[in-house]
Amino acid sequence: MQAIGRVWGDLSGLLNSMTLTARVVLLVVSLFVAGIWALALSTTAALERDLTQLLSANFSSEATNVASDLDRDVRLYVDTLARLAESLSPDILADPVKADHALDKFADSSAIVPHDCFVTDANGTIIAGYPTRLVQVGASIKDLGYFRNLLATGKPVIGEPAPEDTAQSKPAMAIAVPLRDGAGAIVGALVGSVLLSDPLSFGQIEKLRVGRTGWFLVVSPTDRRILASTDRRRVGAALPGHGIIPLLDRRFEHGYEGAEIVQASIGTQVLSVGRKMETTGWFVIASNPTSEMFAPIASLKRHIYLAALLISLAAALILRFFLARQLAPLAQAGRAMRRMTSGELPMAAIPVARQDEIGELIADFNMLVEERGRLDRSLQAEIISHRQSIVALRDSTERLDGIYQSVGEGIVSTDSEQRIVLFNAAAEKIFGYTADEIIGQHVNVLLPERFRERHVHQVADFNSGGLSQRRMGTYGLIYGLRASGEEFPLEASVSQSGTAANKLLTVILRDITERRQAEEVREQLVRQLESLGGRLAAAQEDERREIAYELHEELGQELATLKLYLQMSQSGSSGSEAAVPHKEALAMAAHATERVRRLVLDLEPLELTQLGLYAAVRGYSQRQAAAGGWKLHVEAPKPDVRPARAVERACFRLLQEGLRNVLEHSNASEVWIDLRQWENTLELSIRDNGVGFDCDASGGDEGREGANLGLLGMQIRAKQAGGSVQIRSAAGAGTEVLAVFDLRTAAIEPV
């Protein structure tokens, strides 16, 4: 109590030592600060509590919907695989080829298709599956938990997610359903693997967001690993272990689904809600940062502060009434000051009657009188300087006008009503008007009639957009109207300056008539070049057919006749001396005949005409692989319907040119060829592991000049057949040529 008494005594002494103004100000500030903080703390606490309850209910609803959607997608995959399992009869399961065909047919016809799918026997050995690059026939899954669980329960099983054996290591979910014989006994398993990043399933999480900055997670409670996330970079990451975040322990170990505010693993305080998925046991967690949730409360605080300001103004009015009575002695000094200001009295010092706040104020006024005399002298000097600045500004304006008139591009300035106020010499030359004729008219006189309404909207959008300028060409190609009535193309950039009432829009114009004409000439030349390329390709095909005909029908028959003649001559000769030359001649004739046959196959292969593109690709690739010493990988399944003859021929010529480039330039040891046809698309891929080349810098590489010309020819040939060619390569990383043909486009037949 003694300490409190001493503090109160010290405070009273401090207040008594203050001036009246200081005591009043202290009182008002104290009341204001106490009231504003009491109001802010009580209001925000209540709002945070109510807002947390409201958002918790909302987040719970969103998490429930997401979990239900994901459960539905998983059940859809399970039902699809179950229907496929029912369609696999015992005779199909007994024949791996039939099983492969059934799985391929399912992959082609079903709208819900797993990433990969395979069939096992009762021992867990894989007997068939797709795609072949992911399924290892002969491998065993008998030791995997989901397979053992399937055999034990006889029901569909969803395995724990695990990374796929790919470079991306994307999490995948295995779904296994039993295969039964006619008696109902389990004879194997049908297993489908679903990528959790698939946008038709768990990948849809990437598009979902809680609020503006919140997120969704799908987490496996077994290993606390993130399986899907709004932020794809977090997929595969592990959440903190047991004991780090108690809320996670309650969710994963006790199935708690309620909402709580918690410190997230990424270091942000969030409101978190969880929902458990029935089919998989995984958790869908919705989280939103509290900084976003309580942003409205921060806005409310600002409103409270504004209210406090208004309260302060009211207090100031009260203080004014109070102080008017207390500071009545100031009135006399004020009247004297006003008479001095009006000139009734000369400006002079007022006598100080007492040494308090009023006395200090009068003393300050006396100092002001002295300062005013000094300022009057300074003002005279400023007036002289201002007059000099006006003269300099006039000179600067004249120089700026000279620059406007001398610039090479047209400059047109308009006021807020779109009336022309500036029209330089270049604009006079472009439009054919003089400045005297055009200044004061509406800017629409410089535009064709059909563009005037659009120009009004563009100017309105520009003004409302708050931009200060828009670069040349932003509005696209526009047209102007000369005084002669001639329309011409131009580019324009616009800037605005000044206030709304005195806004000035300045447009810089450039006549691009000559450039447009040059572009039209260039486009015409390009069309002529493409037409010339097509005729050249047609001429090459004709020449090849004629050479093939001559080699096969004439030279081939002559060589065959020579061979027959030599055989007959040998049979009519006697002695060992005659036999040797005959044998050599026969060998040479046989060799020449074989070379002619290979040449004919290269020019016009019989497989292409008789058996189709896919047989020709396999045959030609194998011959080139034997000649180049490559290890060849060919994927060319035969389609149900052959493409058009022109597309087949163009695709085969691209294969020839591509393998010729590999043989002559790549120094490759392995070559991959993939030819596939689906719906209305034919795709050919030629890839090697050779030296490659820099696509951007290859134009200056003399060693690849022939290859570059060949690639250009491939692009022209593909375009003639309604297709396109892409070349991907890098130094030391091999080369890939990808040709794609649209089978709906009528290909150009060589004539």
Side-chain angles (χ1 to χ4, degrees), residues 476-479 488-491 510-523:
L477 181 62
I478 61 177
Y479 287 86
F488 65 99
L490 55 83
E491 286 182 343
R510 181 183 300 161
D511 188 347
I512 60 171
T513 303
E514 295 181 359
R515 191 175 75 187
R516 288 289 298 172
Q517 292 173 350
E519 289 175 353
E520 291 174 0
V521 171
R522 184 184 64 183
E523 292 174 357

Side-chain angles (χ1 to χ4, degrees), residues 171-472:
M173 170 182 64
I175 302 176
V177 297
L179 297 173
R180 303 179 184 274
D181 58 14
I186 297 177
V187 295
L190 172 65
V191 181
S193 180
V194 179
L195 287 179
L196 298 183
S197 60
D198 187 347
L200 297 180
S201 59
F202 288 81
Q204 62 184 297
I205 294 294
E206 296 180 7
K207 301 179 180 179
L208 301 179
R209 195 171 286 280
V210 182
R212 291 185 297 102
T213 60
W215 59 84
F216 282 93
L217 298 177
V218 178
V219 183
S220 171
T222 305
D223 56 359
R224 296 184 178 229
R225 191 165 299 278
I226 298 175
L227 308 178
S229 171
T230 301
D231 184 358
R232 66 170 60 187
R233 295 173 296 182
R234 299 186 65 187
V235 175
L239 294 176
H242 179 80
I244 305 299
I245 302 179
L247 178 60
L248 291 180
D249 300 339
R250 294 170 62 193
R251 293 201 194 287
F252 298 157
E253 297 171 10
H254 305 291
Y256 176 69
E257 296 183 340
E260 284 189 16
I261 294 179
V262 67
Q263 194 74 15
S265 60
I266 61 175
T268 303
Q269 188 183 64
V270 300
L271 175 63
S272 175
V273 177
R275 284 294 180 269
K276 190 174 183 179
M277 297 176 57
E278 296 180 359
T279 55
T280 61
W282 302 338
F283 261 86
V284 174
I285 298 177
S287 302
N288 195 34
T290 55
S291 60
E292 176 186 340
M293 294 167 43
F294 298 143
I297 298 177
S299 176
L300 179 61
K301 287 181 179 179
R302 291 191 294 270
H303 287 81
I304 293 175
Y305 295 150
L306 178 61
L309 176 61
L310 297 177
I311 294 173
S312 300
L313 293 176
L317 295 176
I318 296 173
L319 283 175
R320 182 180 181 279
F321 176 78
F322 173 77
L323 293 177
R325 296 178 61 87
Q326 298 297 320
L327 303 178
L330 285 175
Q332 183 179 0
R335 286 192 294 271
M337 294 177 188
R338 286 193 296 273
R339 294 179 68 185
M340 292 179 189
T341 303
S342 63
E344 296 179 13
L345 294 175
M347 189 68 64
I350 299 176
V352 178
R354 60 185 183 181
Q355 299 298 324
D356 58 4
E357 289 85 358
I358 297 175
E360 292 178 1
L361 179 61
I362 295 174
D364 291 339
F365 172 77
N366 295 336
M367 294 176 59
L368 179 62
V369 170
E370 182 181 354
E371 181 66 14
R372 177 180 174 179
R374 188 187 64 81
L375 291 177
D376 286 340
R377 295 187 295 271
S378 178
L379 180 60
Q380 294 298 324
E382 288 289 339
I383 292 174
I384 296 174
S385 177
H386 180 65
R387 290 174 179 174
Q388 294 174 348
S389 298
I390 292 176
V391 174
L393 179 60
R394 186 183 300 113
D395 294 339
S396 177
T397 302
E398 292 174 355
R399 287 195 298 270
L400 180 60
D401 183 68
I403 293 173
Y404 276 1
Q405 297 301 327
S406 63
V407 74
E409 294 176 338
I411 299 178
V412 180
S413 296
T414 63
D415 58 17
S416 58
E417 296 180 358
Q418 293 292 291
R419 299 290 177 183
I420 299 173
V421 297
L422 177 64
F423 200 76
N424 73 342
E428 292 179 345
K429 183 178 179 181
I430 292 174
F431 289 97
Y433 292 100
T434 65
D436 294 336
E437 293 174 335
I438 203 68
I439 289 179
Q441 297 192 44
H442 197 278
V443 73
N444 278 347
V445 74
L446 303 179
L447 299 173
E449 181 69 27
R450 64 183 184 279
F451 294 115
R452 294 176 181 176
E453 183 178 356
R454 186 177 71 176
H455 173 261
V456 172
H457 294 303
Q458 288 176 340
V459 172
D461 292 342
F462 179 68
N463 287 333
S464 62
L467 299 176
S468 61
Q469 63 179 359
R470 182 164 289 182
R471 297 191 305 273
M472 189 78 71

Side-chain angles (χ1 to χ4, degrees), residues 678-695:
W678 64 90
E679 296 182 357
N680 296 313
T681 303
L682 176 67
E683 181 177 289
L684 170 66
S685 172
I686 306 169
R687 182 167 57 89
D688 65 70
N689 64 346
V691 296
F693 64 96
D694 189 344
C695 292

